[in-house]
Amino acid sequence: MPLALYGHPFSSYTQKVLIALYENGTPFEFRSLGPDTPQHAAEWLQRWPLRKFPLLLDGERSVVETSIIIEYLQLEHAGPLHLLPADARAALDVRFLDRFFDLHVMSPVQHAVGAALTGNAEKAQEGRAHAAEKLELAYAWIEGQLAGKTWAAGEHFTMADCAAAPSLFYADWTHPIAGSYPLLRAYRARLLARPSFARAVEEARPYRPLFPLGAPDRD
Ligand SMILES: N[C@@H](CCC(=O)N[C@@H](CS)C(=O)NCC(=O)O)C(=O)O
């Protein structure tokens, strides 16, 4: 049975795993969680009642949490590109950066999106202001890390870049990355040009009207 991924094309965490799958040309079936396929949602919730996606199904084994999914893929379905370096210390740097993008970039975005979804204008404004404050701290820190690097952890594209691509994509929509962060802006542009992420962005394009903060007319 091929691998199956339950998720949604517009979801940042789904994209994080899609990038890893596309990078290695790993065969899988995408099971979209949408109104047209309620059976997918039922299967997903039965396997992961904590209601977070994506979920990877490998035979009878369910794997959740995107960083774990990517590590699992490398262990069980390795492709030519190793998204976790073999060297344990280098792998630790990658895991740290992966955590950084999830916790300090994607989480503030999710906070702002969640606040906007309440429909309460005051909460929405507070949520966005809170995200802006957190994202400024994150942008400044990343800018300081990127000098001389092509990818988050250095010369090689890793799991950290799988996390960075969708999180910086949506972060810039939530609180634009200012011109005072030229290395970060250039890194985001490199991520957008990477074929694996460019594909995920194209697949998600039809859903842009769903972005509760209002999608800008650009990538
Ligand atoms: N730490 C989780 C985060 C997953 C996550 O937050 N996914 C979002 C979609 S992008 C979700 O499930 N949202 C639904 C909800 O929170 O109810 C991971 O890495 O898989």
Side-chain angles (χ1 to χ4, degrees):
M1 186 156 63
L3 292 169
L5 185 72
Y6 292 84
H8 190 279
F10 198 52
S11 128
S12 57
Y13 283 105
T14 303
Q15 291 178 4
K16 178 176 161 183
V17 174
L18 286 173
I19 294 167
L21 290 161
Y22 294 159
E23 281 290 333
N24 271 311
T26 310
F28 71 102
E29 179 188 324
F30 189 66
R31 297 189 182 160
S32 191
L33 299 171
D36 299 338
T37 48
Q39 73 278 17
H40 292 166
E43 289 160 19
W44 157 61
L45 286 176
Q46 194 251 325
R47 293 186 172 276
W48 192 230
L50 276 88
R51 313 183 78 90
K52 293 284 179 190
F53 55 88
L55 177 147
L56 183 80
L57 188 61
D58 186 7
E60 275 312 300
R61 180 164 184 171
S62 300
V63 190
V64 291
E65 285 297 322
T66 50
S67 308
I68 305 298
I69 294 173
I70 293 173
E71 297 227 20
Y72 177 84
L73 287 169
Q74 180 153 314
L75 286 173
E76 300 294 340
H77 300 273
L81 185 72
H82 285 194
L83 292 165
L84 272 299
D87 176 78
R89 286 178 181 81
L92 196 60
D93 290 342
V94 168
R95 290 190 179 98
F96 163 67
L97 288 163
D98 168 76
R99 294 297 71 236
F100 180 85
F101 285 108
D102 278 12
L103 297 173
H104 299 293
V105 181
M106 203 55 227
S107 290
V109 173
Q110 283 187 318
H111 178 82
V113 164
L117 286 173
T118 63
N120 176 315
E122 200 178 322
K123 277 191 186 158
Q125 206 179 358
E126 269 171 28
R128 201 154 185 172
H130 175 81
E133 194 185 321
K134 297 283 179 198
L135 287 173
E136 270 304 312
L137 291 175
Y139 293 167
W141 186 83
I142 310 163
E143 180 73 13
Q145 300 299 306
L146 282 171
K149 288 183 184 152
T150 305
W151 303 111
E155 273 319 288
H156 300 289
F157 191 92
T158 67
M159 176 168 74
D161 302 296
C162 299
S167 59
L168 288 173
F169 180 81
Y170 289 116
D172 185 55
W173 281 11
T174 303
H175 175 64
I177 302 170
S180 50
Y181 303 120
L183 299 180
L184 180 55
R185 284 165 66 107
Y187 173 53
R188 185 179 181 276
R190 276 195 297 284
L191 289 165
L192 276 166
R194 183 93 179 176
S196 56
F197 185 48
R199 180 175 167 186
V201 168
E202 275 320 303
E203 290 166 347
R205 201 175 288 282
Y207 302 97
R208 288 185 180 197
L210 295 178
F211 193 63
L213 304 172
D217 193 17
R218 61 175 173 83
D219 285 348

